[in-house]
Amino acid sequence: MSVPRFSLNIESMDVEKAKRRQQVILRQLRDPEACRSADLQVDSCSGTSFRPALGSSASRNDDVVVVAAYRTPICKAKRGSFKDTPAEDLLEQVLKAVLEKTGVHPHEVGDIVVGNVLAPGSSRAAECRLAAFFAGFPDTVPIKTVHRKCASGLQAVADVAAAIKSGFYDIGIGAGVESMSLDSGVHKDTFNPKVHSHANQNVKDCLIPMGITSEIVADKYHVSRTDQDKAAFLSQKRAAAAAAKGKFDDEIIPVKAKVVDKKNGTERTIIVSADDGIRPDTSLSVLSKLKPSFKNGGSTTAGNASQMSDGAAAVLLMKWEVAARRGLSILGTLRGFSAVGVKPEIMGIGPAYAIPAAVKAANLNLHDIDLFEINEAFASQYVYCLRSLGLDAENVNVNGGAIALGHPVGATGARCVATLLHEMKRRGKSCRYGVVSMCVGTGMGAAAVFESA
């Protein structure tokens, strides 16, 4: 894999620093012995290792493992099967699922961490507490919410893993939930007035709409409309094939949902067991005819961007020793995690920096990774990240991604963990390491590395 080259003449020193940082880390991932440790002291990426330190007496007993990972179906916001179902009802059902399918008693859980983005923080925190009570947890089990935008669900998993690794408790749940049907994400009309006069351009750029950041990435890194539409088509094709083959059956739990008739206001309960945003009949021809969504002459459309969606996911983690004592099957072991910063205007490139950092934290090389789940916020940034890292598309989002499935932003990270680990299980010994990653609004990226059981 060649060192990625940026095709644009970038004048910002911050971006140049990020570029050097990525190149140094990628060089070390390819050939650790060829890079001196001093190189990484200059422009290092933060990352958390969940491996025992070399030479330590730590054993596998202290590994943090995933024993269950389930999600609701992902449904179209405003129009799908969850449009009238409160977020706490979705969360309740995935929390129940990870316990029922493992036999873990609610009172044994040390903490529940839930990723969420669009709802007001105080309101959603209370609603998540309600969801825990609905699911049968006693009042002795605490719960908190975490918000790292699109990485919130993955951050919840990482937070629980870190707490288990630190000895705070032995069993915890990392989850995520979002109702883009019922929560707008708009809570105030104005921002701090300093935003408009501050000398740091990053301050202003934090307010750039996500769709415009996609256009900026496409322009700066020469990702064509054709390449974006091809990526979108592949996502839809793979998701449709996976659904037809029942590949999502192991990760999806059937969910009770409320549906309100718009005409007469009557309510009824339905059971939802499949994603409803996949478009199996789409084609490149159809995608190519869609108009740009965010600017005239742009290349980001409703067809090559992620869908607004509703959904929830939960991941049950514990010490390996506890799982072994209970005779529980292990889906995977968390080996590394990283969250990094990039310039806000090109937030979509976050995975290109977070993935190398997380892989390095896991003491691995990039070529050791067998499978990737990279959130398709926009086809522009997804294509860029694959090119930049030199990834083989055959090993990335093999069952489709957010363009086809949808992107319930607070839940996506936990959803990706479930999708990745169940696919790794299907592949058996041929798939040892997998990575989950996503870009993050306001200029970040996050990634986690898992080892199969």
Side-chain angles (χ1 to χ4, degrees), residues 126-354:
E127 290 162 357
C128 288
R129 180 71 161 159
L130 292 177
F133 289 145
F134 292 160
F137 286 86
D139 54 21
T140 54
V141 176
I143 190 167
K144 72 173 183 179
T145 56
V146 62
H147 181 172
R148 197 191 288 274
K149 295 192 176 292
C150 299
S152 297
L154 183 61
Q155 187 65 57
V157 171
D159 284 0
V160 170
I164 293 173
K165 193 73 173 177
S166 299
F168 296 160
Y169 48 80
D170 290 341
I171 302 173
I173 297 174
V177 65
E178 204 72 71
S179 173
M180 300 183 83
S181 291
L182 302 179
D183 296 309
S184 67
V186 179
H187 310 306
K188 59 186 298 185
D189 295 328
T190 60
F191 287 86
N192 191 310
K194 290 192 296 185
V195 166
H196 305 291
S197 59
H198 202 281
N200 186 344
Q201 184 61 38
N202 287 333
V203 173
K204 301 182 184 71
D205 290 349
C206 280
L207 303 186
I208 295 176
M210 293 298 95
I212 298 301
T213 70
S214 172
E215 296 289 0
I216 293 171
V217 168
D219 290 344
K220 283 194 171 185
Y221 303 118
H222 305 295
V223 183
S224 69
R225 167 70 184 268
T226 298
D227 286 343
Q228 292 175 62
D229 286 346
K230 285 181 178 179
F233 176 66
L234 182 60
S235 182
Q236 294 284 357
K237 182 179 178 181
R238 286 176 169 178
K245 294 177 182 178
K247 285 191 173 183
F248 297 129
D249 293 352
D250 291 336
E251 65 191 69
I252 290 178
I253 60 164
V255 170
K256 289 183 179 180
K258 178 178 72 173
V259 176
V260 179
D261 189 305
K262 289 184 177 180
K263 294 181 179 179
N264 57 30
T266 58
E267 296 183 8
R268 60 189 176 94
T269 299
I270 62 173
I271 302 297
V272 184
S273 57
D275 304 317
D276 68 15
I278 301 172
R279 302 183 182 97
D281 298 327
T282 195
S283 66
L284 276 174
S285 175
V286 169
L287 291 169
S288 68
K289 294 175 183 176
L290 296 175
K291 295 181 179 180
S293 298
F294 301 101
K295 76 171 188 178
N296 292 332
S299 58
T300 301
T301 72
N304 61 35
S306 59
Q307 301 178 45
M308 295 176 62
S309 310
D310 307 325
V315 180
L316 180 61
L317 302 100
M318 60 182 64
K319 280 188 176 181
W320 182 90
E321 179 184 24
V322 175
R325 188 168 64 243
R326 292 167 173 263
L328 293 174
S329 297
I330 294 171
L331 279 174
T333 303
L334 182 60
R335 289 303 185 195
F337 172 80
S338 180
V340 304
V342 298
K343 290 186 73 62
E345 68 167 359
I346 48 174
M347 68 91 201
I349 71 172
Y353 296 91

Side-chain angles (χ1 to χ4, degrees), residues 25 29 45-49 335-340 353-364 369 435-437 446-449:
I25 292 177
L29 287 171
C45 276
S46 60
T48 301
S49 175
R335 289 303 185 195
F337 172 80
S338 180
V340 304
Y353 296 91
I355 290 173
V359 171
K360 178 179 178 292
N363 299 320
L364 297 170
I369 309 302
V435 162
V436 168
S437 185
V449 180

Side-chain angles (χ1 to χ4, degrees), residues 386-402:
L386 266 61
R387 289 179 180 173
S388 178
L389 295 172
L391 302 183
D392 184 346
E394 291 300 311
N395 301 323
V396 188
N397 295 1
V398 296
N399 295 316

Side-chain angles (χ1 to χ4, degrees), residues 18-203:
K19 174 183 172 182
R20 293 196 304 272
R21 179 178 68 183
Q22 184 198 44
Q23 290 173 334
V24 169
I25 292 177
L26 285 172
R27 190 166 68 249
Q28 191 186 47
L29 287 171
R30 294 188 207 99
D31 188 1
E33 298 302 321
C35 289
R36 298 179 180 178
S37 60
D39 290 338
L40 289 174
Q41 293 174 0
V42 179
D43 290 311
S44 63
C45 276
S46 60
T48 301
S49 175
F50 287 85
R51 286 187 180 276
L54 294 176
S56 75
S57 58
S59 67
R60 188 179 184 187
N61 288 344
D62 294 322
D63 280 348
V64 179
V65 300
V66 175
V67 296
Y70 296 102
R71 68 174 178 93
T72 69
I74 301 172
C75 297
K76 294 177 287 188
K78 309 291 185 182
R79 299 174 292 125
S81 299
F82 293 154
K83 65 183 179 63
D84 302 311
T85 301
E88 57 268 30
D89 288 354
L90 300 177
L91 180 60
E92 170 199 351
Q93 295 178 71
V94 291
L95 293 178
K96 280 183 177 179
V98 294
L99 298 183
E100 291 174 353
K101 293 179 180 294
T102 58
V104 171
H105 194 281
H107 78 263
E108 297 177 293
V109 175
D111 200 3
I112 304 169
V113 182
V114 183
N116 183 257
V117 177
L118 297 182
S122 58
S123 297
R124 182 60 81 231
E127 290 162 357
C128 288
R129 180 71 161 159
L130 292 177
F133 289 145
F134 292 160
F137 286 86
D139 54 21
T140 54
V141 176
I143 190 167
K144 72 173 183 179
T145 56
V146 62
H147 181 172
R148 197 191 288 274
K149 295 192 176 292
C150 299
S152 297
L154 183 61
Q155 187 65 57
V157 171
D159 284 0
V160 170
I164 293 173
K165 193 73 173 177
S166 299
F168 296 160
Y169 48 80
D170 290 341
I171 302 173
I173 297 174
V177 65
E178 204 72 71
S179 173
M180 300 183 83
S181 291
L182 302 179
D183 296 309
S184 67
V186 179
H187 310 306
K188 59 186 298 185
D189 295 328
T190 60
F191 287 86
N192 191 310
K194 290 192 296 185
V195 166
H196 305 291
S197 59
H198 202 281
N200 186 344
Q201 184 61 38
N202 287 333
V203 173

